[in-house]
Amino acid sequence: MTEYLCPMCDVRSPVEELTWHCPQCQGPWDLDFTAFPVERNSLSGRVNSLWRYEEALPLRASDARAAVSLGEGRTPLVPLTDTVTAKLDFLMPTLSFKDRGAVMLAELARQLKPRRVIADSSGNAGTALAAYCARAGLDCTVYIPEGTSPKKVEQIGAHDAHLEIVPGDREAAARAARAAAGEDGVFYASHVFNPYFLHGTKTYVYEIWEDLGGRLPETLVVPVGNGTLLLGAALAVDELYGHGLIDERPALIAVQAAAIAPLAFAFRAGADDVLAPTSPTPTLAEGIAIAHPPRARQILTAVRATGGTFLTVTEDQIRAAQLDLAGRGLYVESTGVACWAALGAYGLDGRSAVLPLCGAGLKSGVATT
C-alpha cells in the first residue's frame, strides 16, 4: 500500500495506521500514488466492474475478480439531446454513484482488517458502505442525520449495518462519526476525507472515455457538495491527459443548489476557499447541501484549472427537471437532477456534455416541497 499525504502540510502517514486526517491541519488526505496507463484495446474480456481499470487504481488484487465487488460500474450512456448525454449511475447495485467509492473503501478495509468500520452520510454513501461492508463481511456503523429519507434509512438497515441517528443536520452526523473515529481499531470510511473514495469515483470518467472510443466530451457537468465525483473526475482527466490518452481536457462544470452554494459563491468572488461557513438552508438537493466542504480548495482549483465554472439551480428548477426526466423515462432523485436543471437554465453554447444521473428516484420520491 502507498501512503497518505496532506496536500497542505506535506505530512505523510502509512495507510495501515488508520489515521483519517492530517494530524497537523486536520484536513483530508490525498494519496501518494501514480496511476499506470490503461490501454483501451486491452479492456476486452476484462471483469465487468470498475476493477477492469486496475492499473489506475491504488489497490491491487492478485485477481480483480477476487476483490470486493457487486458488479458496480459500466453504467450506460443515454442521449438527452444532440449534444448532451446522461450517464445512468443510478443503475448501480445500491442505486447511486457512491458505489464507485464505497467498493474501494470496503476493499481497503478488508485488507487492513480493522475491528469495525464507521461512516457518516446523508443517505447514499452510507447505503453504499453498508452494502459493500456486508459483501466483505465487515462490521459497519453508519451515522446519519435525523432528517434522512426513510427509504435510505431502511436500505442501510437492510444491509445489517448499525445505525446511529444523530439529532441535527448533516454536519452533526459528521461530527459524531469523527468523535468515534479516534477509537482503537476503527477505520473511518469517510467518503470525504479518505482519498481512496476519489480513486473509485474517477472510474466514472474512465468509463466515458472507454465507451466514447477513447475520447471525452467538451464538458463534464457534475453536481457538487463535498465534491467526491468532481475530484474523482479531475483525477481521471489528469491521468488520461498525462498518459497521452486524450488530446484535450474537458471543462469541469460544477452545479450547486442556489439554496446552499458556498463553492459557487467563492468561485464568483475569486476566492481560494469558501469565504465563511454558511447556515444550512433546506433544499431538495439534500445530497449536495454541504455548508463547508473540507476539500473546498481542491474543488475550486480543479474547476479553474480546466476553464470550467459553477452553475446554481433553484428549487423550482430542480422540481421541473425531475419531472422532465421522468417524462423521458428516467426517474431520478432530486439531487441527481441538478445538472439537467442547470443545463436547462443556462445551456452550454452547443458544446458536448456528459452529466451523471446519480441516484434513483425510488430513494426519495418526487420533489414536491
Side-chain angles (χ1 to χ4, degrees):
M1 293 182 186
T2 185
E3 287 185 313
Y4 291 134
L5 169 67
C6 176
M8 299 296 293
C9 309
D10 203 33
V11 171
R12 294 172 179 266
S13 176
V15 172
E16 294 85 350
E17 289 189 2
L18 302 182
T19 52
W20 63 269
H21 63 60
C22 171
Q24 188 164 310
C25 70
Q26 284 73 55
W29 291 120
D30 278 353
L31 209 56
D32 185 10
F33 168 74
T34 301
F36 289 96
V38 175
E39 299 298 337
R40 193 168 58 88
N41 60 8
S42 73
L43 294 173
S44 177
R46 290 196 184 187
V47 63
N48 200 33
S49 74
L50 61 75
W51 291 104
R52 70 194 281 109
Y53 310 112
E54 190 175 20
E55 300 97 318
L57 299 176
L59 289 173
R60 291 286 185 269
S62 57
D63 179 355
R65 291 171 176 80
V68 174
S69 180
L70 289 168
E72 60 290 325
R74 308 298 295 131
T75 55
L77 293 169
V78 173
L80 295 178
T81 71
D82 291 341
T83 57
V84 179
T85 300
K87 187 161 173 60
L88 309 192
D89 257 27
F90 66 86
L91 297 180
M92 290 280 196
T94 76
L95 308 181
S96 92
F97 86 95
K98 295 288 177 65
D99 289 13
R100 293 186 183 277
V103 66
M104 296 296 293
L105 293 181
E107 174 62 20
L108 177 61
R110 187 183 70 84
Q111 295 185 22
L112 293 175
K113 297 179 173 59
R115 177 171 56 85
R116 69 184 181 115
V117 177
I118 67 170
D120 59 273
S121 171
S122 60
N124 285 339
T127 297
L129 257 299
Y132 282 91
C133 283
R135 182 71 169 178
L138 297 165
D139 183 81
C140 178
T141 299
V142 181
Y143 293 78
I144 59 174
E146 59 186 350
T148 299
S149 163
K151 291 186 180 294
K152 294 177 182 178
V153 175
E154 178 184 346
Q155 194 177 5
I156 294 170
H159 295 304
D160 205 29
H162 307 287
L163 270 168
E164 292 285 346
I165 299 176
V166 180
D169 60 14
R170 176 68 181 81
E171 294 299 316
R175 288 192 296 271
R178 291 165 194 169
E183 298 174 10
D184 289 341
V186 170
F187 174 57
Y188 181 26
S190 171
H191 60 290
V192 181
F193 279 78
N194 193 299
Y196 280 88
F197 195 94
L198 306 181
H199 285 273
T201 62
K202 77 181 181 185
T203 61
Y204 169 83
V205 170
Y206 273 91
E207 289 177 17
I208 296 171
W209 166 78
E210 179 184 356
D211 290 344
L212 293 183
R215 63 181 181 86
L216 291 176
E218 294 169 280
T219 61
L220 292 168
V221 187
V222 185
V224 175
N226 277 310
T228 55
L229 184 55
L230 183 138
L231 290 173
L235 277 172
V237 168
D238 285 348
E239 290 169 4
L240 290 167
Y241 185 80
H243 292 139
L245 296 172
I246 55 173
D247 295 328
E248 295 182 0
R249 301 171 190 260
L252 292 173
I253 310 297
V255 179
Q256 294 207 286
I260 180 164
L263 290 161
F265 185 79
F267 181 86
R268 292 164 187 166
D272 294 329
D273 201 345
V274 293
L275 301 181
T278 56
S279 300
T281 302
T283 174
L284 296 167
E286 62 179 7
I288 54 174
I290 306 299
H292 197 274
R295 294 188 183 270
R297 285 180 173 271
Q298 292 174 279
I299 296 165
L300 292 163
T301 298
V303 172
R304 289 182 173 125
T306 65
T309 192
F310 276 81
L311 304 175
T312 58
V313 291
T314 66
E315 302 303 290
D316 286 344
Q317 288 167 338
I318 291 170
R319 289 189 194 92
Q322 188 183 38
L323 292 175
D324 181 72
L325 284 173
R328 298 166 185 258
L330 299 167
Y331 185 32
V332 184
E333 70 172 330
S334 50
T335 298
V337 306
C339 293
W340 183 235
L343 293 188
Y346 300 97
L348 286 173
D349 298 323
R351 288 181 292 170
S352 60
V354 172
L355 58 86
L357 301 183
C358 297
L362 293 174
K363 284 176 170 282
S364 55
V366 177
T368 57
T369 58

